[in-house]
Amino acid sequence: MLLRSTFSRIPNFQFLNHFCSLANVNTILLDSEAAISPSKLISFSSEDKAAEKVNVISYMINSCGLSPEIAISTSEKVHFDSPERPDAVLNFLAENGFSKSQITELVRKRPSILLSDPEKTLLPKIEFFLQWTGVAKADVLRTIARDPTFLTRSVENQLIPIYNYLKDIIGAEKVATLVRRGSWIFNQTFAKRVIPNVEFLRALGIPNSFIALVLFNFPEAIGQKHDQFREIVEEVKEMGFDPLKSTFVLALHARSGEGNKVLWAHCYETYTKWGWSKDDIYMAFKKHPHCMLLSEKKISGVLSFLATKMGCESRMIARHPHLLFYSLEKRIIPRCSVVHLLSLKGLVRKDKSLNTILCPAEKKFLDMFVTKYAEEAPQLYDIYKEKAVVSEV
């Protein structure tokens, strides 16, 4: 048959044995006929179509490195009766530095890439990221392999305008970081969502530095549908947040997206278990909005230590929610242990505030509580470095 002769040079590697072990070949192939675009194929017989299906799957396995299971699924999304274009694409990707595993990942995520024109479609996107963003080639290839949709964007109509818009707000260096992250902020919804949302924030008088904060750190918040975004902004305003303060955009992020709303509910429940009232929770949220995005383990770990080991009232932490963000093992336990030992020896007052203990930079803490009392308590440095809890605490 024509199709079989076209693909005759593709090694079989016992493909049919793998394929038959997964499902009934004839049933799968015949069921897939409806998915084959008539514009892609000449009118062949059912046997020819079945042969094409088998050969495309074989190509996916032997030339692209896909597993039989994934190859079967992927073959539903791309159809070709000759390996000439796919071969050209694979050769192009390899010649431009993509590793075998990256090529496999690209084809798995975006099988239609095999039908692209390498020089007209793929090369301009790669050149854009290399020449405009200044990102190292290895990072560009890694980013594209993770998110092949970068290769589907128009350079002139999407990538360049988005790059320039972002650069004017967050600077070229941070745009390059977004590229390395593979940020979806470069996708097709930018003009429909991001730009209207940014302009809405500007109309409220929010400083450019805070808008940059959202764009760089919380792009998922600024990328919401405009109507949803406006509702959240109004909600945050009604909570009493000042648009001229950074807590406004942090609160905006905390209230954005279904995932964050689930976290909010879990945090609310956890704080309630520790005796916080609704007023306590909202006071903490207004002081540090991201306290409503912490895990139950994190919240309970810190509150448990401070309440049971240090004798602090749990609700007192609501007035100082920033304390919840310090590492329990690396900061809270060792510092509190040092100060507690000093208090046992009568060298410092027992009522030292947690802010005085936990907030200073490490050098200042060491000067205040370790180096200063080295002669009276030589074991302090070891206690601090070993991150241990003093037995009497």
Side-chain angles (χ1 to χ4, degrees):
M1 302 299 294
L2 174 61
L3 286 167
R4 288 173 183 166
S5 63
T6 303
F7 281 82
S8 61
R9 61 187 182 80
I10 301 176
N12 203 319
F13 288 95
Q14 298 180 326
F15 160 69
L16 285 177
N17 289 336
H18 289 298
F19 188 46
C20 290
S21 67
L22 295 171
N24 182 283
V25 179
N26 291 332
T27 300
I28 292 176
L29 295 180
L30 292 175
D31 286 347
S32 69
E33 288 182 32
I36 301 176
S37 172
S39 63
K40 297 285 184 183
L41 299 171
I42 302 173
S43 180
F44 294 126
S45 66
S46 296
E47 184 180 353
D48 290 324
K49 293 178 181 180
E52 184 216 12
K53 181 77 172 180
V54 170
N55 286 322
V56 168
I57 295 172
S58 181
Y59 188 90
M60 294 291 187
I61 294 172
N62 298 320
S63 297
C64 303
L66 300 184
S67 69
E69 294 89 346
I70 295 176
I72 292 171
S73 173
T74 301
S75 68
E76 300 288 343
K77 304 171 185 176
V78 62
H79 311 286
F80 48 88
D81 58 353
S82 166
E84 182 178 354
R85 175 58 63 83
D87 279 351
V89 170
L90 296 183
N91 290 335
F92 169 84
L93 294 174
E95 289 169 1
N96 277 274
F98 287 95
S99 67
K100 289 183 179 179
S101 62
Q102 288 175 333
I103 292 174
T104 297
E105 188 176 9
L106 274 167
V107 175
R108 179 179 64 82
K109 292 180 176 179
R110 181 69 62 164
S112 59
I113 193 176
L114 292 172
L115 304 181
S116 302
D117 185 312
E119 299 298 323
K120 293 182 179 180
T121 303
L122 304 182
L123 182 60
K125 319 301 172 54
I126 296 174
E127 289 181 337
F128 163 79
F129 286 111
L130 292 175
Q131 296 172 9
W132 282 69
T133 69
V135 175
K137 186 173 184 179
D139 291 330
V140 168
L141 300 184
R142 192 179 303 111
T143 294
I144 292 175
R146 287 200 308 264
D147 185 6
T149 56
F150 278 107
L151 295 176
T152 68
R153 306 292 174 236
S154 165
V155 173
E156 296 297 327
N157 298 326
Q158 290 179 300
L159 296 179
I160 291 178
I162 290 173
Y163 175 82
N164 287 331
Y165 188 86
L166 290 173
K167 185 182 70 171
D168 289 343
I169 299 175
I170 65 176
E173 186 175 340
K174 289 187 175 180
V175 176
T177 299
L178 288 179
V179 172
R180 294 187 194 95
R181 291 178 186 169
S183 176
W184 58 265
I185 207 166
F186 285 91
N187 71 19
Q188 73 271 22
T189 64
F190 190 88
K192 295 180 180 178
R193 298 186 181 183
V194 176
I195 293 178
N197 291 343
V198 167
E199 297 310 313
F200 181 61
L201 293 180
R202 282 176 169 164
L204 292 176
I206 293 179
N208 193 70
S209 59
F210 297 160
I211 295 175
L213 175 68
V214 178
L215 272 172
F216 183 67
N217 293 289
F218 319 120
E220 69 278 10
I222 204 77
Q224 299 177 87
K225 291 181 179 179
H226 187 57
D227 289 344
Q228 294 175 341
F229 185 77
R230 289 177 66 102
E231 288 177 5
I232 295 171
V233 168
E234 293 302 322
E235 177 188 10
V236 170
K237 286 172 63 179
E238 290 174 4
M239 288 180 174
F241 284 91
D242 184 349
L244 298 181
K245 294 183 178 179
S246 61
T247 50
F248 185 92
V249 293
L250 295 179
L252 179 62
H253 171 242
R255 297 297 295 160
S256 295
E258 291 303 315
N260 284 356
K261 289 178 181 177
V262 171
L263 278 175
W264 170 285
H266 288 164
C267 287
Y268 195 100
E269 182 180 0
T270 302
Y271 290 128
T272 300
K273 289 179 180 178
W274 280 96
W276 290 25
S277 67
K278 179 180 179 180
D279 288 341
D280 292 331
I281 295 171
Y282 275 83
M283 175 174 63
F285 178 62
K286 288 196 67 175
K287 289 176 178 289
H288 201 312
H290 280 181
C291 72
M292 298 304 289
L293 298 180
L294 296 172
S295 69
E296 180 181 358
K297 180 180 178 181
K298 172 65 172 172
I299 295 169
S300 294
V302 173
L303 292 181
S304 177
F305 178 83
L306 295 179
T308 61
K309 298 295 186 181
M310 297 302 294
C312 297
E313 184 185 0
S314 170
R315 293 180 62 190
M316 183 273 291
I317 306 302
R319 295 193 289 273
H320 308 282
H322 58 280
L323 300 177
L324 292 165
F325 291 83
Y326 290 130
S327 168
L328 183 63
E329 294 78 14
K330 296 179 180 180
R331 195 179 192 105
I332 297 175
I333 289 176
R335 290 194 178 196
C336 288
S337 296
V338 164
V339 174
H340 182 70
L341 180 59
L342 290 173
S343 70
L344 292 176
K345 291 179 175 291
L347 297 173
V348 299
R349 299 195 322 269
K350 291 183 178 181
D351 60 349
K352 281 283 185 183
S353 74
L354 288 174
N355 281 326
T356 300
I357 298 170
L358 299 177
C359 294
E362 183 169 17
K363 184 179 184 305
K364 185 174 181 180
F365 175 83
L366 290 173
D367 290 342
M368 291 171 61
F369 297 107
V370 178
T371 307
K372 183 177 180 179
Y373 299 104
E375 291 186 8
E376 296 91 337
Q379 72 273 46
L380 285 176
Y381 189 77
D382 290 336
I383 291 173
Y384 181 71
K385 284 301 178 183
E386 290 174 8
K387 316 299 183 189
V389 183
V390 176
S391 58
E392 294 90 344
V393 173

